[in-house]
Amino acid sequence: IRLAAALALGYATVGAMGTLLKVVIDHAQQVGAGAKGQKTQYLLLTSLREVIAIGVTQRGPGDRFLEEHLRPHVPRVLPILSQYADSGEESVRNVVAESLGHLLMVDQEAVLLALAPLLASAESWRVRATAVSAVRFAAAKHCPASTIRPLKEQLLRCLGDEEL
């Protein structure tokens, strides 16, 4: 039921992006690290992922892609996703990777700047794996090769990464 509520919150946020997206982002920033917090964190990130995924693929009123409404929020969303890229929970890392992959199609410049240090992270293999998965996800969703080309060197280094 909670996952259904998270998905419903994501769908509702798409319909009221001006008000609900700020609420979802604020709550995602404030979630604690305890067991209950981890579950809530996953659910809020799932809501956020739905907003991003729908924003990339659907058009709103006036035949404009909803991503235009999402783009101004990217600077607030990227730090949240980067923060959870090192989560001990694989499900959280997967949601983060999928969200970053979608966001790459919304704001290429900002997301490339966020992905580069994640791909080069010396602190955690999980961060590097999440970033690689984000690029894979973007490529699978028909993101043009020219979009991910700036990450070529970092991705090639990841090929030789023994921890991945």
Side-chain angles (χ1 to χ4, degrees):
I1 298 290
R2 288 184 288 182
L3 181 59
L7 294 172
L9 177 60
Y11 301 147
T13 301
V14 170
M17 207 172 288
T19 55
L20 284 179
L21 185 55
K22 182 183 178 334
V23 172
V24 172
I25 291 170
D26 288 346
H27 278 80
Q29 287 176 320
Q30 297 168 3
V31 170
K36 185 176 181 178
Q38 286 182 351
K39 183 63 177 176
T40 303
Q41 161 191 336
Y42 171 75
L43 294 169
L44 286 167
L45 289 171
T46 298
S47 296
L48 193 55
R49 179 200 59 204
E50 291 304 308
V51 173
I52 294 166
I54 293 168
V56 169
T57 59
Q58 291 193 359
R59 295 178 186 269
D63 209 31
R64 293 175 29 202
F65 277 107
L66 292 173
E67 73 182 51
E68 293 174 26
H69 297 288
L70 184 58
R71 188 172 289 116
H73 299 281
V74 170
R76 287 196 62 213
V77 171
L78 284 175
I80 296 168
L81 297 176
S82 296
Q83 171 188 347
Y84 292 123
D86 193 31
S87 174
E89 293 291 323
E90 184 178 7
S91 58
V92 170
R93 293 192 311 271
N94 287 338
V95 170
V96 167
E98 189 175 342
S99 298
L100 285 168
H102 278 303
L103 278 180
L104 191 55
M105 295 180 263
V106 173
D107 190 340
Q108 176 183 345
E109 184 177 332
V111 178
L112 286 175
L113 287 172
L115 282 175
L118 297 179
L119 286 166
S121 173
E123 296 174 22
S124 171
W125 66 268
R126 292 187 300 239
V127 172
R128 294 188 306 276
T130 301
V132 168
S133 293
V135 175
R136 177 195 54 83
F137 187 82
K141 291 295 181 181
H142 309 292
C143 185
S146 61
T147 300
I148 56 177
R149 189 169 291 127
L151 300 173
K152 178 180 70 171
E153 294 302 319
Q154 291 101 321
L155 291 169
L156 288 171
R157 275 194 295 280
C158 288
L159 288 176
D161 190 331
E162 295 295 325
E163 292 183 293
L164 295 182

